Amino acid sequence: MKTTSGFRKLVTYLIFVGIATLFWFILALNDNIQDDFDVKLEFTNVPDSVTFITVPPEEIHVAVRDQGASILRRALFVTPKLHINFRDYAKDGKLIYGKSELNAGLKGLFGAGATLVSTSIDNLSLDYTTLPGKRIPVVVSADFSAAVGKVIYGQPSSTPKSVTVYGTRDVLDTITRVFTEKIVRTNLEDSKDLSVRLKNVSGARIEPETVKVHVNVEMLVRKEANVTIKAEHLPAGMDILLFPSTATVEYFIPMSCFNRDDVAPEVSVDVRELQASSKRLPLHLGASPKDMLNIRVLTDSVEYTLVRN
């Protein structure tokens, strides 16, 4: 195959294509082209006591026009990084790096022959503080509802329970709580851990900016209990005997509370409801633990006898 005229023509064609490509590449490198760069920001000489309230950007997006050779060299071999001396531009809680300083700094990175077509920011204006942070508790703002047969047991909790807030003296003296963004979840079948952002506080920086919120979802189980009946509004010098003296109460409760016997609904009779025509008093449900649902007394009334003390 190598000795055929067709193979020699193909080789000759490929050689000329390679030469043409090389010349085109050389000519293209001398033309002006445009490319985008991500310039990293690095602040130098920042004291350890300084905390930026306004979080500085990590990088600036810059569109640059220059000769192809320069663009290619920077794209392949150079990671542009803009160094900003904190002590030169910071004063009285404010770091200002203006438009002219920004353009000059970028020009220094890309060379005098480069043209800055556009930048993602025009200037930097950053608030900072030298005060230590203050620990502030987190309040979960949420609207949860469980699926049928389930219940939200307990209050949603955050991890961590408090965060560090940095700011001016006025801000730190007035802030007492930090709220999460409002969380809305419906028909929850299982317990959840949700990553939630904290609401911004004007003039302050919060670390961390997000917390993990835990919502506990449990199965509802049916339970019965015998409860001693209480008598209300009993006249002085009188006592009352109830038959029976206890009532059976049915209710639904979270599964983790099933074995607890220290809480139960209250059942009572009101002596003011005594009627001469009846020897029975109706039963009433009183205060009940908030975790009990669908509470029902299986007996609607009891017999009574009034006696003097």
Side-chain angles (χ1 to χ4, degrees), residues 56-305:
E58 293 184 356
E59 55 189 22
I60 304 174
H61 304 290
V62 183
V64 179
R65 179 175 290 276
D66 201 354
Q67 285 190 339
S70 298
I71 294 291
L72 180 63
R73 184 174 63 255
R74 294 190 187 95
L76 294 179
F77 305 110
V78 179
T79 301
K81 184 180 293 185
L82 180 60
H83 298 274
I84 300 175
N85 192 335
F86 178 86
R87 293 175 179 172
D88 291 341
Y89 302 99
K91 184 180 180 181
D92 298 330
K94 198 88 170 178
L95 184 148
I96 298 177
Y97 193 69
K99 184 175 182 179
S100 59
E101 289 88 355
L102 180 62
N103 288 337
L106 294 174
K107 272 281 192 180
L109 288 178
F110 293 100
T115 301
L116 301 178
V117 179
S118 65
T119 58
S120 59
I121 59 173
D122 292 330
N123 59 78
L124 287 172
S125 180
L126 307 175
D127 296 318
Y128 67 90
T129 181
T130 56
L131 296 174
K134 179 181 178 182
R135 297 296 291 180
I136 303 294
V138 175
V139 177
V140 178
S141 177
D143 184 5
F144 293 127
S145 65
V148 177
K150 305 291 181 69
V151 66
I152 307 294
Y153 181 51
Q155 292 295 322
S157 60
S158 70
T159 303
K161 295 185 180 299
S162 61
V163 292
T164 303
V165 177
Y166 298 92
T168 62
R169 177 65 64 190
D170 291 341
V171 172
L172 296 181
D173 287 344
T174 56
I175 186 170
T176 57
R177 294 174 295 175
V178 175
F179 292 86
T180 66
E181 296 286 351
K182 184 65 175 290
I183 320 165
V184 179
R185 294 289 189 278
T186 59
N187 295 321
L188 290 175
E189 295 277 356
D190 302 296
S191 299
K192 297 286 185 183
D193 287 309
L194 307 171
S195 180
V196 185
R197 289 188 61 85
L198 298 173
K199 282 187 175 181
N200 292 328
V201 176
S202 180
R205 178 178 176 180
I206 303 173
E207 288 290 341
E209 296 178 341
T210 60
V211 295
K212 185 171 290 185
V213 173
H214 177 76
V215 53
N216 187 42
V217 180
E218 292 192 20
M219 179 80 71
L220 281 172
V221 291
R222 178 182 172 278
K223 185 175 181 179
E224 289 186 359
N226 286 323
V227 180
T228 300
I229 303 171
K230 297 180 180 179
E232 296 181 346
H233 304 109
L234 193 65
M238 300 293 293
D239 201 354
I240 190 170
L241 301 178
L242 302 175
F243 307 97
S245 60
T246 62
T248 302
V249 182
E250 176 190 81
Y251 52 90
F252 288 84
I253 196 168
M255 183 175 290
S256 62
C257 299
F258 185 81
N259 292 325
R260 290 184 58 184
D261 295 324
D262 58 331
V263 290
E266 291 184 0
V267 178
S268 64
V269 293
D270 192 339
V271 178
R272 294 176 301 181
E273 296 179 339
L274 291 176
Q275 295 181 7
S277 60
S278 175
K279 289 296 184 179
R280 300 186 70 87
L281 276 174
L283 296 179
H284 301 285
L285 271 173
S288 303
K290 62 180 180 179
D291 299 317
M292 294 183 180
L293 301 175
N294 301 329
I295 304 171
R296 187 168 67 95
V297 184
L298 301 186
T299 305
D300 60 353
S301 63
V302 294
E303 294 182 356
Y304 70 91
T305 299

Side-chain angles (χ1 to χ4, degrees), residues 17-57:
V17 169
I19 294 173
T21 301
L22 179 62
F23 276 108
W24 173 85
F25 189 69
I26 293 173
L27 292 174
L29 290 179
N30 290 322
D31 290 339
N32 282 342
I33 62 174
Q34 181 176 319
D35 200 1
D36 296 329
F37 292 89
D38 292 331
V39 179
K40 294 188 177 298
L41 286 182
E42 185 174 290
F43 294 88
T44 59
N45 296 318
V46 181
D48 294 337
S49 61
V50 167
T51 301
F52 282 105
I53 298 174
T54 307
V55 181

